[in-house]
Amino acid sequence: MAIINETKLSISNTEIEELNIEEIDYSNRAQWLRAAVLGANDGLVSIASLMIGIGAVKEDPKAMILSGFAGLVAGACSMAIGEFVSVHSQLDIELAQLKRESKVEGLADQQSLPNPVQAAMASAMAFSMGAAVPLLAAGFISSYKVRIAVVAAAASLALAVFGCIGALLGRAPIVRSGFRVLIGGWVAMAVTFGLMKLFRSGRL
């Protein structure tokens, strides 16, 4: 009878450990996915606002597209460099902590340490994916007014999608979070467009 109880206890402990590992893995994946969504949202709002701002000053489609592409490259590089420096600092801190605790750096420890290069690449790709939305939306439209409207509409749709995904990953109210992200994007685009219009009219 004691052997059966010990076996049951062993199985229960194993199942608990597996559940804990799954929860940790899911938590790590959720953090990465949420960071990717935030990066894509950043790229979307930044480039859409930039393109709409340039469109408020110049009606030339080339100027609008080139400014958006330049913003994509600059933003992706900036995000990658910032993430690399940030994660590398975290890596240095964790390595120093391991040395202070005199731990042996086994395979498990190596896998659990942050990877600055991976983080930089993920951040740059997420920003680029978001930034590509307004660029693709405006890339084949020659009419000035239609181009501005399409960029704003595409950005709004993508903002709503990113907001809902971020809410799901963060276990927040979907409608409220999505609406909050959408309003924030609208404000950014409207402020940029309005200020550039004032510059064009010579009032600033």
Side-chain angles (χ1 to χ4, degrees):
M1 192 69 178
I3 295 175
I4 296 174
N5 290 336
E6 289 178 1
T7 303
K8 289 182 178 179
L9 181 60
S10 177
I11 294 173
S12 299
N13 290 336
T14 302
E15 290 177 350
I16 292 173
E17 289 177 359
E18 290 178 352
L19 287 173
N20 289 336
I21 291 172
E22 289 179 358
E23 288 178 1
I24 293 172
D25 291 341
Y26 176 78
S27 177
N28 290 335
R29 286 196 298 269
Q31 289 177 0
W32 273 97
L33 287 171
R34 196 170 183 218
V37 170
L38 291 174
N41 184 78
D42 188 13
L44 172 64
V45 174
S46 298
I47 302 308
S49 299
L50 176 62
M51 293 177 66
I52 288 176
I54 295 297
V57 179
K58 291 186 176 182
E59 297 184 5
D60 182 12
K62 289 184 179 180
M64 194 172 176
I65 299 298
L66 287 175
S67 65
F69 183 74
L72 185 155
V73 175
C77 291
S78 177
M79 293 284 288
I81 294 170
E83 193 71 12
F84 180 85
V85 172
S86 176
V87 175
H88 211 296
S89 298
Q90 180 184 351
L91 176 62
D92 292 339
I93 293 172
E94 293 191 16
L95 286 174
Q97 182 67 23
L98 287 174
K99 291 179 180 179
R100 282 195 298 269
E101 295 176 355
S102 300
K103 287 185 178 181
V104 178
E105 296 181 10
L107 180 61
D109 289 333
Q110 292 292 335
Q111 289 179 342
S112 64
L113 291 174
N115 189 326
V117 176
Q118 184 182 22
M121 292 178 63
S123 181
M125 288 181 62
F127 185 93
S128 300
M129 288 178 62
V133 173
L135 275 173
L136 292 175
F140 304 98
I141 299 175
S142 58
S143 174
Y144 167 70
K145 292 183 178 180
V146 175
R147 187 168 63 251
I148 294 289
V150 168
V151 169
S156 299
L157 179 60
L159 281 170
V161 172
F162 290 155
C164 291
I165 294 175
L168 286 172
L169 294 174
R171 296 181 180 180
I174 297 177
V175 176
R176 186 186 304 171
S177 298
F179 189 69
R180 188 185 301 121
V181 171
L182 184 60
I183 292 297
W186 284 348
V187 170
M189 289 185 285
V191 168
T192 307
F193 183 82
L195 287 176
M196 295 305 293
K197 273 292 188 182
L198 290 176
F199 272 112
R200 183 180 183 180
S201 63
R203 295 180 183 179
L204 286 179

